Amino acid sequence: MKKKNIKTLLLIGLLVINTTIKAQSSKTEQDETAKAKEWINSLSLNNNEKENRLVQVVSTHLLAVKEWHNNHPASTVPAGINPLDGKPLSELHRQIIADSAMPSTVHESLMTGLRKDLNEEQVALVLDKYTIGKVAFTMKGYQAIVPEMTSVETTEIQKLMEKAREQAVDYKSMKEISAIFEIYKTQAENYLNNHGRNWRQMYGDYTKKIKAEKEANAKK
């Protein structure tokens, strides 16, 4: 009798767990679909067929990124050193490594699906949603820091930031997205240094200027 009761309790427990997992999965899918709808609706396409396809493309990608991230925590990457600087890998580094192993087909499906129904400007607007407009924000920063930034410099750095944006959409957290942008910001700063600029000097001058402005405003 006791064995039967134990088996019954175990069966009930498994059913509860299974139901909870399914409910959580359904909630996650609903959340990602709602986010995708919001992003696609912002394009004002006025074409239900296109919008439905695009919502499916974006929500599928969002769900795939989230599931991969949740199933591949930083702990799945062994502790070690960054071969570029010899410093221990941080938890963020390890999480980025884990997430970067996601099959490339996930990203390819997103980009192919977007480009099927959108022009490049519209694709960029969707990618901006993923990265909360970091391309424009970062470019504004460079234009403030670099004196009389030329059109050539602007074009080259814009290209790098757009590469950062497309790569960053495959990462779950904003910390990871910011870290991906840092990779390309380093490339941008190296580009400036290699073309007659001194990034460290420009950045130093800019921070001094901002500090002086704050102090002047505080005295008013």
Side-chain angles (χ1 to χ4, degrees), residues 102-117:
M102 185 175 69
S104 60
T105 50
V106 175
H107 182 81
E108 290 163 4
S109 295
L110 170 68
M111 300 308 296
T112 300
L114 292 177
R115 286 176 173 141
K116 179 180 178 180
D117 286 311

Side-chain angles (χ1 to χ4, degrees), residues 207-220:
T207 54
K208 288 176 184 175
K209 176 186 172 184
I210 296 300
K211 184 180 178 181
E213 287 175 354
K214 286 182 178 179
E215 290 174 350
N217 289 332
K219 291 177 181 177
K220 289 181 180 179

Side-chain angles (χ1 to χ4, degrees), residues 51-118:
E51 289 172 356
N52 290 336
R53 279 199 300 267
L54 289 163
V55 167
Q56 183 62 42
V57 166
V58 174
S59 61
T60 297
H61 177 262
L62 286 169
L63 192 59
V65 169
K66 191 169 191 175
E67 288 182 346
W68 183 273
H69 176 85
N70 291 344
N71 293 324
H72 298 81
S75 57
T76 59
V77 176
I81 63 167
N82 184 331
L84 295 178
D85 57 20
K87 294 179 181 179
L89 290 171
S90 66
E91 184 172 352
L92 177 59
H93 290 153
R94 292 165 71 188
Q95 185 62 67
I96 289 173
I97 292 170
D99 287 344
S100 69
M102 185 175 69
S104 60
T105 50
V106 175
H107 182 81
E108 290 163 4
S109 295
L110 170 68
M111 300 308 296
T112 300
L114 292 177
R115 286 176 173 141
K116 179 180 178 180
D117 286 311
L118 301 175

Side-chain angles (χ1 to χ4, degrees), residues 69 95-96 99 171-180:
H69 176 85
Q95 185 62 67
I96 289 173
D99 287 344
Y171 293 84
K172 178 67 181 65
S173 72
M174 282 312 304
K175 283 186 178 181
E176 289 180 280
I177 289 172
S178 294
I180 297 300

Side-chain angles (χ1 to χ4, degrees), residues 4 7 22 49 51 59 65 67 85 102 107 114 126 129 132 160-161 167 170 209:
K4 281 187 177 181
K7 286 182 178 180
K22 284 184 178 179
E49 192 175 332
E51 289 172 356
S59 61
V65 169
E67 288 182 346
D85 57 20
M102 185 175 69
H107 182 81
L114 292 177
V126 175
K129 294 293 184 181
I132 60 170
L160 288 171
M161 294 308 108
Q167 186 173 351
D170 293 330
K209 176 186 172 184

Side-chain angles (χ1 to χ4, degrees), residues 19-205:
T19 301
T20 302
I21 291 171
K22 284 184 178 179
Q24 289 174 340
S25 177
S26 178
K27 176 67 166 56
T28 297
E29 191 171 343
Q30 290 172 8
D31 289 345
E32 302 306 347
T33 299
K35 188 184 293 183
K37 283 182 179 178
E38 180 187 339
W39 293 356
I40 298 305
N41 286 342
S42 71
L43 299 175
S44 300
L45 298 175
N46 299 316
N47 184 316
N48 289 335
E49 192 175 332
K50 279 187 178 183
E51 289 172 356
N52 290 336
R53 279 199 300 267
L54 289 163
V55 167
Q56 183 62 42
V57 166
V58 174
S59 61
T60 297
H61 177 262
L62 286 169
L63 192 59
V65 169
K66 191 169 191 175
E67 288 182 346
W68 183 273
H69 176 85
N70 291 344
N71 293 324
H72 298 81
S75 57
T76 59
V77 176
I81 63 167
N82 184 331
L84 295 178
D85 57 20
K87 294 179 181 179
L89 290 171
S90 66
E91 184 172 352
L92 177 59
H93 290 153
R94 292 165 71 188
Q95 185 62 67
I96 289 173
I97 292 170
D99 287 344
S100 69
M102 185 175 69
S104 60
T105 50
V106 175
H107 182 81
E108 290 163 4
S109 295
L110 170 68
M111 300 308 296
T112 300
L114 292 177
R115 286 176 173 141
K116 179 180 178 180
D117 286 311
L118 301 175
N119 60 39
E120 287 303 309
E121 184 179 346
Q122 291 169 323
V123 170
L125 290 173
V126 175
L127 301 187
D128 276 335
K129 294 293 184 181
Y130 276 88
T131 57
I132 60 170
K134 285 185 77 69
V135 169
F137 177 81
T138 307
M139 289 303 299
K140 186 177 179 181
Y142 278 119
Q143 287 159 351
I145 295 168
V146 180
E148 299 178 355
M149 194 167 166
T150 68
S151 58
V152 173
E153 290 170 334
T154 300
T155 298
E156 290 302 314
I157 294 175
Q158 177 79 23
K159 286 179 183 176
L160 288 171
M161 294 308 108
E162 289 175 0
K163 286 182 180 179
R165 177 178 60 195
E166 184 172 338
Q167 186 173 351
V169 300
D170 293 330
Y171 293 84
K172 178 67 181 65
S173 72
M174 282 312 304
K175 283 186 178 181
E176 289 180 280
I177 289 172
S178 294
I180 297 300
F181 268 82
E182 285 299 323
I183 295 170
Y184 289 88
K185 285 167 70 176
T186 297
Q187 292 181 25
E189 288 144 26
N190 287 338
Y191 166 80
L192 291 170
N193 286 334
N194 292 333
H195 289 80
R197 299 283 196 172
N198 184 325
W199 173 254
R200 182 174 291 183
Q201 182 66 51
M202 289 188 295
Y203 188 76
D205 291 343

